[in-house]
C-alpha cells in the first residue's frame, strides 16, 4: 500500500491499515502489483482492432515502426482509440437513459412506477410538440412521451429533439460542421463502424465523428436520463444531508446502493421503510434500516430523498472494510469486479441486479421491471437477514461525516437565485438573476466540476483544490458525480463554505442562502449544466462559447468522462482535464484537441495535472471571455 497517496484522507489511511490486517486487498494493492503501467497503452499507440495485430507503433520516428500492418499510423491509432472511448461512454449514459424511459413506459396510476412530477411531464411533452400535452390523461401522455423518447435512440431520420435547447448560433454551427447528432444508437454504431479496420483513418474526421457521438450523449442520452428521471421520481429540491463513511450506523442494517440507475434504488428506498422489513430488522436486533449511497446511484437518491452519501468511487472498497455493511446493492457502471472477493473477508453480501452488469462471484437477484418493488424487497430482505451475521470485532466505522446541502436541479437553482435580486415578477423563474450576477461581475463566471477518482492522482485532492481556488476567485462551481461527493466530504457543500469564497460569490451565497459549490446530481445530470448554460446564453443572445464558463474533470477515469468532455467541447465549453487521455502518442491529434478545435467548435480541451495551475488557467480563461463580451 502506497501511503503517499493517502495523506489527504485519514479515513482511507485507517481503513487501509485495517484491510491489510484482515488480509483484504484494495485498488492500491492491485495498482502496486501492476508496477509500471504499459507505456504504449498510456500513449494510445497500441492497436488491437483486428487480428493481424496487436500493432504497437513507436512514439519516436527514429526509434521504431511508424505503422501497423494495415498501414495505420500514430494519428489514426490514437484517434480510433479515443473515438472508441467516446462511443463506449455514450452507450453507457444512453443505455441507462433508455431504462428510465422504459420504466416510464410501464408507469401507471397504480404504480409502482408512477409519474411524480406531472408538471414536468407536461412541460417536456409540450417542448416536444405533443398535441394536447396540457389536457391528456397523465399516463396516456407519459406513454406517448416515452415512446417518442425511445425513438430518439433509433429514429431513422433527423437530429435529436433536445438540440433545440441550444442557442440558435450553436445549432447552426453543429449543422455547418456536420456534428449535429442524429439518433443516439446510430451515432454509437456509426462511430464504431468508422473505427473498424480499413475504415476511417483521417484523424480529423474521426474527431469530428467523436464530437457528434459525444453530443448525442450530452443533448441526447444524458438529457433524456435526467429529464425523464425527474418526471418519474421528482425534480430535486434543496435539502440537507450528510456525507462520508461516518454515515454508516453501527446499530442499523446498513445498505449501500452503488452504481448509476435510480430505478431500483428508488424502490429500495421505499422497501427500506416497509413495516415488514423493519420488523425483521428489529427481530434481528437492529435499530432500523440505514440506506446510504455511493457513486451516482447515491447521487440520484440523495438529490431526491436526502439519502446520505457514504462516499465516492475510491471508497467503494472502504465501505465494505468498515465491517458494518450488510449488503452492497449494485446496478450498472463503476462497480469494481473486486467487490465479491472483498466481501468474502466480511459478512457483507454483494448483490448485483442488472443483466448488463452480471458480476462474477455475486449474489445475483435480477431487477424485474415488471415487479420492481418485489425485487427491491427481496434484496432488502437479504440485507436485514444478514445483520445477525455481523462480526463485532471487525466493525470500525470512521467517526467522520460532514453536513451537506444537495438538490440543486436547474429549477431549484433558479428558484434560489430569485432570492438574490428583489424579485421582479417578469424575471422570476428565469436565469436572468444568474446572468445579471455574472454580467455585473459579482460572479466572474461558472465552472462545472465533474468526474471520478483515479489512483494516478491523490483522490479527491484535485477536485477540492480546484473548487477552493475557483470559489476564492468568485467563480461559482456546480458539480456532479464523484466530484460532488468529494466536495461534500470536504465541507464545500455546506452553507458555511461561503466563508471560503471571494466577496462577490460570498454575498450571492448569503442572499440566496446557498453554498458556493452546488450539487447538481449524477453524471448524466451534467445535462443540467448544459441546460442552465444554454438558458443563460439564450437569455443574453450569445453562443455558449461566449460565456465565462468552463468544464473541469480533475480526476476522471471512465469512458463516460471522455464522452462528457467531448460533448462539452462540442457545445463550446473549454474543458480542463487533470488526467491526460491516451493521446500523447499523436502530436497531431493532441494539437487538434488543444488548439485546432477552436476553429470547429470554438472551444478546446486543456490538459493540466496540477490543480492549482489549472485553477489559474481557468481564471484567466474566464477573464478573457469577459473581456471579449465587454463585461
Ligand atoms: Fe463513475 Fe458516476 Fe466517474 Fe464516479 S464520476 S467514478 S463515472 S460514478 Ni461519473
Ligand atoms: Fe494492426 Fe491495422 Fe489491425 Fe490495428 S487495424 S491491429 S494497426 S493491422
Amino acid at each position: 500500500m502506497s501511503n503517499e497517496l493517502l495523506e489527504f484522507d485519514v479515513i482511507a489511511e485507517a481503513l487501509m491499515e485495517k484491510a491489510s490486517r484482515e488480509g483484504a486487498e484494495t485498488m492500491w494493492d492491485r495498482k502496486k502489483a501492476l508496477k509500471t503501467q504499459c507505456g504504449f497503452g498510456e500513449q494510445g499507440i497500441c492497436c488491437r482492432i483486428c487480428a493481424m495485430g496487436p500493432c504497437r507503433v513507436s512514439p519516436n520516428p527514429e526509434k521504431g515502426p511508424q505503422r501497423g500492418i494495415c498501414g495505420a499510423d500514430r494519428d489514426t491509432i490514437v484517434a480510433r482509440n479515443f473515438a472508441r472511448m467516446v462511443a463506449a461512454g455514450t452507450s453507457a449514459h444512453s443505455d441507462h437513459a433508455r431504462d428510465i424511459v422504459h420504466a416510464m413506459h410501464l408507469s401507471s396510476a397504480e404504480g409502482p412506477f408512477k409519474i411524480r412530477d406531472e408538471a414536468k411531464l407536461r412541460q417536456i411533452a409540450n417542448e416536444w410538440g405533443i398535441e394536447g400535452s396540457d389536457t391528456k390523461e397523465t399516463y396516456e401522455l407519459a406513454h406517448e412521451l416515452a415512446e417518442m423518447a425511445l425513438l430518439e435512440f433509433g429514429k431513422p431520420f433527423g437530429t435529436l429533439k433536445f438540440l433545440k435547447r441550444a442557442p440558435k448560433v450553436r445549432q447552426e454551427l453543429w449543422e455547418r460542421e456536420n456534428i449535429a447528432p442524429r439518433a443516439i444508437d446510430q451515432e454509437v454504431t456509426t462511430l464504431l463502424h468508422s473505427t473498424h479496420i480499413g475504415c476511417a483513418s483521417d484523424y480529423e474526421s474521426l474527431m469530428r465523428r467523436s464530437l457528434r457521438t459525444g453530443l448525442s450523449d450530452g443533448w441526447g442520452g444524458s438529457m433524456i436520463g435526467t429529464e425523464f428521471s425527474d418526471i418519474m421520481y421528482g425534480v430535486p429540491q434543496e435539502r440537507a444531508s450528510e456525507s462520508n463513511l461516518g454515515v454508516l450506523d453501527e446499530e442499523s442494517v446498513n445498505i449501500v446502493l452503488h452504481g448509476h440507475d435510480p430505478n431500483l434504488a428508488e424502490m429500495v428506498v421505499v422497501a427500506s421503510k416497509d413495516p415488514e422489513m423493519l420488523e425483521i430488522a428489529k427481530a434481528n436486533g437492529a435499530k432500523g434500516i440505514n440506506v446510504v449511497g455511493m457513486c451516482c446511484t447515491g447521487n440520484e437518491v440523495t438529490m431526491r430523498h436526502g439519502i446520505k452519501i457514504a462516499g465516492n468511487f475510491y471508497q467503494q472498497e472502504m465501505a465494505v472494510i468498515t465491517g458494518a455493511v450488510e449488503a452492497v446493492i449494485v446496478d450498472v457502471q463503476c462497480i469494481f469486479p473486486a467487490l465479491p472477493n472483498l466481501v468474502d473477508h466480511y459478512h457483507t453480501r454483494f448483490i448485483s441486479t442488472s443483466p448488463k452488469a452480471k458480476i462474477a462471484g455475486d449474489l445475483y437477484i435480477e431487477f424485474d421491471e415488471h415487479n420492481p418493488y418485489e425485487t427491491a424487497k427481496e434484496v432488502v430482505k437479504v440485507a436485514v437477514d444478514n445483520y445477525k451475521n455481523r462480526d463485532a470485532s471487525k466493525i470500525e466505522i470512521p467517526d467522520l461525516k460532514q453536513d451537506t446541502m444537495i438538490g440543486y436541479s436547474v429549477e431549484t437553482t433558479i428558484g434560489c437565485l430569485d432570492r438574490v435580486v428583489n424579485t421582479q415578477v417578469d424575471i422570476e423563474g428565469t436565469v436572468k438573476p444568474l446572468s445579471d450576477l455574472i454580467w455585473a461581475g459579482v460572479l466572474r463566471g461558472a465552472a462545472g466540476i465533474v468526474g471520478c477518482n483515479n489512483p494516478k492522482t491523490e483522490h479527491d485532492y484535485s477536485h477540492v483544490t480546484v473548487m477552493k481556488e475557483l470559489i476564492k476567485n468568485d467563480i461559482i462551481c456546480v458539480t456532479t458525480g464523484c466530484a460532488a461527493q468529494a466536495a461534500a466530504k470536504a465541507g464545500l457543500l455546506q452553507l458555511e463554505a461561503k466563508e471560503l469564497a471571494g466577496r462577490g460569490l460570498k454575498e450571492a451565497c448569503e442572499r440566496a442562502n446557498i453554498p458556493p459549490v452546488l450539487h447538481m446530481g449524477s453524471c448524466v445530470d451534467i445535462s443540467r449544466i448544459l441546460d442552465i448554460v444554454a438558458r443563460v446564453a439564450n437569455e443574453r443572445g450569445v453562443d455558449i462559447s461566449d460565456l465565462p464558463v468552463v468544464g473541469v474533470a480533475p480526476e476522471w477515469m471512465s469512458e463516460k468522462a471522455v464522452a462528457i468532455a467531448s460533448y462539452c467541447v462540442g457545445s463550446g465549453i473549454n474543458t480542463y482535464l487533470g488526467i491526460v487521455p491516451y493521446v500523447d502518442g499523436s502530436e497531431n491529434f493532441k494539437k487538434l484537441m488543444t488548439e485546432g478545435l477552436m476553429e470547429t467548435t470554438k472551444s478546446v480541451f486543456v490538459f493540466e495535472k496540477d490543480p492549482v495551475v489549472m485553477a489559474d488557467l481557468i481564471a484567466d480563461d474566464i477573464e478573457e471571455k469577459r473581456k471579449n463580451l465587454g463585461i
Side-chain angles (χ1 to χ4, degrees):
M1 148 177 109
S2 67
N3 278 314
E4 81 271 17
L5 288 168
L6 305 174
E7 281 162 16
F8 187 62
D9 189 336
V10 281
I11 286 195
E13 226 164 322
L15 288 173
M16 299 285 289
E17 244 171 67
K18 180 174 189 286
S20 54
R21 259 195 335 263
E22 290 163 350
E25 179 195 272
T26 68
M27 68 189 287
W28 286 282
D29 299 314
R30 293 187 294 273
K31 179 160 181 3
K32 202 174 166 204
L34 281 173
K35 303 213 171 78
T36 309
Q37 286 172 278
C38 172
F40 292 93
E42 178 76 43
Q43 298 199 47
I45 45 180
C46 174
C47 181
R48 40 168 296 283
I49 276 174
C50 90
M52 294 192 282
C55 303
R56 358 179 270 196
V57 298
S58 171
N60 184 341
E62 322 280 284
K63 290 219 172 117
Q66 290 297 293
R67 288 182 185 274
I69 292 170
C70 67
D73 63 8
R74 284 188 284 156
D75 299 339
T76 301
I77 294 175
V78 165
R80 281 197 306 218
N81 286 337
F82 180 85
R84 287 194 162 205
M85 290 188 89
V86 175
T90 300
S91 76
H93 280 148
S94 305
D95 205 41
H96 158 161
R98 192 192 330 250
D99 284 348
I100 306 294
V101 181
H102 260 282
M104 187 158 131
H105 199 251
L106 290 168
S107 67
S108 66
E110 301 76 47
F113 287 134
K114 283 189 184 173
I115 302 301
R116 300 257 176 79
D117 195 320
E118 193 171 322
K120 190 149 187 177
L121 167 73
R122 296 196 185 279
Q123 175 216 316
I124 304 280
N126 191 35
E127 186 179 337
W128 282 12
I130 295 185
E131 252 172 68
S133 52
D134 293 331
T135 48
K136 270 196 180 137
E137 191 273 326
T138 311
Y139 288 91
E140 189 193 334
L141 184 64
H143 299 156
E144 193 175 336
L145 183 64
E147 270 182 41
M148 212 174 208
L150 289 170
L151 281 175
E152 290 295 276
F153 293 87
K155 63 186 179 189
F157 306 108
T159 53
L160 294 172
K161 291 187 182 299
F162 277 137
L163 301 189
K164 297 232 155 38
R165 288 184 169 187
K168 225 136 191 122
V169 273
R170 183 60 33 182
Q171 294 180 47
E172 283 160 11
L173 180 151
W174 288 335
E175 285 297 332
R176 193 169 64 241
E177 300 294 340
N178 199 14
I179 54 174
R182 304 154 302 167
I184 302 155
D185 291 350
Q186 182 183 5
E187 294 303 354
V188 172
T189 305
T190 194
L191 187 59
L192 286 174
H193 177 189
S194 290
T195 61
H196 189 273
I197 159 91
C199 220
S201 75
D202 180 320
Y203 71 91
E204 284 179 327
S205 164
L206 280 162
M207 172 50 93
R208 207 173 277 267
R209 302 177 76 79
S210 298
L211 290 172
R212 187 167 64 187
T213 303
L215 286 165
S216 80
D217 175 352
W219 299 85
S222 283
M223 205 166 271
I224 292 172
T226 297
E227 299 293 45
F228 283 64
S229 295
D230 281 0
I231 294 171
M232 292 280 296
Y233 302 120
V235 174
Q237 310 292 330
E238 69 176 337
R239 63 179 97 224
S241 184
E242 288 176 331
S243 56
N244 218 339
L245 289 170
V247 303
L248 293 169
D249 179 0
E250 183 144 10
E251 291 168 6
S252 294
V253 173
N254 289 308
I255 297 178
V256 175
L257 290 172
H258 175 24
H260 279 78
D261 189 322
N263 279 343
L264 169 68
E266 283 281 334
M267 298 292 154
V268 168
V269 171
V270 181
S272 71
K273 293 176 186 145
D274 192 308
E276 191 191 330
M277 292 297 135
L278 287 167
E279 207 169 295
I280 310 176
K282 290 203 174 119
N284 280 318
K287 201 175 71 189
I289 303 173
N290 182 38
V291 176
V292 298
M294 180 142 289
C295 287
C296 282
T297 290
N299 284 326
E300 295 279 352
V301 286
T302 198
M303 288 286 281
R304 298 197 179 88
H305 302 281
I307 293 293
K308 293 171 186 166
I309 300 168
N312 50 359
F313 182 67
Y314 81 91
Q315 282 172 301
Q316 56 186 290
E317 293 179 308
M318 312 265 163
V320 173
I321 295 166
T322 64
V325 173
E326 273 54 56
V328 179
I329 300 170
V330 304
D331 45 63
V332 290
Q333 303 166 20
C334 301
I335 302 146
F336 282 175
L339 288 177
N341 285 330
L342 181 64
V343 299
D344 283 349
H345 292 82
Y346 303 91
H347 77 299
T348 311
R349 302 301 301 268
F350 174 81
I351 308 170
S352 84
T353 59
S354 169
K356 296 174 196 174
K358 173 80 181 72
I359 295 169
D362 56 5
L363 168 62
Y364 183 64
I365 300 178
E366 188 165 312
F367 179 61
D368 176 358
E369 62 175 11
H370 296 281
N371 286 300
Y373 192 59
E374 273 58 46
T375 311
K377 268 174 82 173
E378 200 180 335
V379 292
V380 170
K381 174 121 193 333
V382 172
V384 289
D385 283 345
N386 194 25
Y387 184 79
K388 55 181 184 298
N389 299 323
R390 273 192 180 185
D391 177 350
S393 71
K394 280 194 174 170
I395 296 182
E396 193 178 310
I397 300 174
D399 182 22
L400 201 62
K401 56 182 174 183
Q402 192 56 254
D403 287 336
T404 299
M405 292 297 293
I406 39 137
Y408 296 97
S409 53
V410 173
E411 294 86 337
T412 298
T413 305
I414 287 175
C416 292
L417 288 166
D418 274 342
R419 300 172 197 150
V420 178
V421 285
N422 294 329
T423 308
Q424 298 157 253
V425 185
D426 52 331
I427 63 166
E428 200 177 328
T430 74
V431 288
K432 181 99 178 21
L434 173 61
S435 82
D436 281 351
L437 286 172
I438 294 175
W439 254 251
V442 178
L443 304 178
R444 305 306 293 173
I449 301 174
V450 305
C452 326
N453 297 117
N454 187 324
K456 284 182 179 163
T457 175
E458 204 174 310
H459 49 256
D460 288 357
Y461 173 76
S462 297
H463 289 310
V464 172
T465 306
V466 172
M467 289 178 199
K468 281 188 175 163
E469 291 295 318
L470 294 182
I471 61 174
K472 211 159 65 185
N473 285 303
D474 290 323
I475 296 164
I476 191 168
C477 295
V478 294
T479 181
T480 65
C482 291
Q485 295 167 329
K489 290 181 284 168
L492 295 177
L493 303 189
Q494 50 182 348
L495 299 174
E496 295 74 33
K498 67 171 192 271
E499 299 303 333
L500 302 172
R503 238 182 82 199
L505 177 56
K506 184 178 168 190
E507 199 184 325
C509 289
E510 265 161 12
R511 292 233 222 148
N513 201 31
I514 53 171
V517 181
L518 300 176
H519 192 330
M520 280 207 142
S522 65
C523 305
V524 296
D525 291 339
I526 295 170
S527 66
R528 297 191 201 277
I529 301 179
L530 291 181
D531 181 7
I532 201 161
V533 163
R535 290 187 200 211
V536 173
N538 286 332
E539 195 262 323
R540 291 281 160 175
V542 298
D543 195 356
I544 295 173
S545 54
D546 296 322
L547 296 176
V549 301
V550 296
V552 195
E555 305 181 20
W556 70 276
M557 61 85 205
S558 78
E559 289 164 318
K560 289 175 285 174
V562 183
I564 294 164
S566 301
Y567 73 63
C568 285
V569 171
S571 302
I573 301 170
N574 288 335
T575 300
Y576 292 73
L577 302 180
I579 305 284
V580 182
Y582 303 139
V583 297
D584 271 340
S586 163
E587 277 143 47
N588 286 333
F589 192 71
K590 206 171 159 183
K591 199 156 176 236
L592 175 64
M593 293 178 87
T594 55
E595 295 173 31
L597 284 179
M598 197 49 94
E599 262 175 52
T600 323
T601 68
K602 302 201 162 92
S603 54
V604 289
F605 294 83
V606 182
F607 306 141
E608 177 51 61
K609 290 182 186 166
D610 182 330
V612 178
V613 177
M614 185 193 264
D616 281 345
L617 293 174
I618 291 170
D620 291 348
D621 183 345
I622 279 177
E623 291 308 321
E624 176 79 22
K625 290 271 163 90
R626 297 187 65 88
K627 206 172 89 203
N628 294 340
L629 279 170
I631 57 175

